[in-house]
Amino acid sequence: IDFSVWDYDLGGAWGGLHYYTNRPENMTVVDSVLNIIVREENYMGYNYTSARMKTKLSWKYGRFEALIDLPETTGFVPAFWLLPADNMYGWWPKSGEIDIMEHVGYDMGNIHGTVHTKSFNHLMNTQKGNSLYINNVNTKFHTYSIEWYPNQIKYFVDNIHYYTFKNKM
C-alpha cells in the first residue's frame, strides 16, 4: 500500500457494531490484492473489528473504479464510496456522498449505487439510486465504477451501465 496516497480510517463505525483498525489481523495485501478481514472479537468496546482505507487525494469528476470480491455475510455493508475532502456544506448528508457500490449483506446479490445530498437521502426517504442483481457477487471479482461529470453520474458493474443520476445545476 502506498501510504503517500492511502491511509487507514480508524475508529468506531457509524452503526456502532464494529471498530476499524490498522492491525494485520484486519487487513493484509496478498498478491497485490487488499484483503479486509472482519473478526468477531471484543475490541475497544465493540463486538467486531474490520479495516477501512481512505485516500489522501481529492478529485472532482472522472472515472472511479475498483475490482472487488464481496463476502457472503449478513450484518455488514461492504461499500466503495466517495466522500468530500471537507464538509463545506455541513456534516452528512449536506456535503454529499456518492456510493459507487454498496452491498447490504442480508440482500445477497443486489448491488446499490446511490447519491446522498441534503435534498436526497434515506433520512427523508428521497435518496436517488438504483440496484442491480449480480448472481455471483460473492464468488467472483467484479468491477464497480462511476463516471462523474458536472451534470450527471453514470453507474456501472463490469462496464454494464445500470443507472444515471442527473445533477440539476
Side-chain angles (χ1 to χ4, degrees):
I1 296 174
D2 182 350
F3 284 102
S4 69
V5 177
W6 294 97
D7 200 1
Y8 296 102
D9 196 3
L10 305 173
W14 293 341
L17 295 176
H18 62 281
Y19 192 89
Y20 296 116
T21 81
N22 59 357
R23 303 178 308 155
E25 299 96 301
N26 293 115
M27 189 198 75
T28 62
V29 177
V30 178
D31 296 328
S32 299
V33 175
L34 173 65
N35 295 277
I36 296 176
I37 303 152
V38 177
R39 294 173 49 97
E40 185 174 5
E41 63 180 327
N42 187 340
Y43 186 86
M44 303 293 285
Y46 293 81
N47 295 325
Y48 298 90
T49 59
S50 182
R52 180 168 61 183
M53 300 298 294
K54 63 181 177 180
T55 183
K56 296 177 180 178
L57 305 176
S58 295
W59 300 272
K60 184 175 184 179
Y61 310 131
R63 183 174 175 91
F64 303 85
E65 69 179 23
L67 186 64
I68 301 172
D69 178 22
L70 294 168
E72 182 174 358
T73 184
T74 58
F76 289 96
V77 184
F80 170 39
W81 62 38
L82 300 175
L83 292 172
D86 58 28
N87 287 310
M88 66 184 297
Y89 301 110
W91 187 243
W92 192 96
K94 293 177 183 175
S95 289
E97 172 185 345
I98 301 170
D99 289 322
I100 298 170
M101 182 283 305
E102 192 169 41
H103 179 252
V104 182
Y106 66 80
D107 192 13
M108 188 56 61
N110 279 314
I111 299 300
H112 303 274
T114 314
V115 172
H116 302 280
T117 68
K118 179 181 178 183
S119 299
F120 304 125
N121 63 77
H122 70 275
L123 300 175
M124 299 174 9
N125 200 27
T126 57
Q127 68 273 7
K128 298 291 182 183
N130 199 0
S131 60
L132 179 68
Y133 183 81
I134 302 172
N135 188 43
N136 57 359
V137 72
N138 64 316
T139 60
K140 182 180 173 194
F141 279 89
H142 294 278
T143 302
Y144 302 94
S145 56
I146 63 163
E147 293 177 359
W148 182 15
Y149 304 96
N151 63 337
Q152 65 185 359
I153 301 170
K154 292 183 172 185
Y155 285 78
F156 301 87
V157 175
D158 297 329
N159 289 318
I160 297 169
H161 175 246
Y162 75 97
Y163 176 62
T164 299
F165 171 80
K166 300 282 188 178
N167 186 17
K168 297 178 183 176
M169 300 179 68

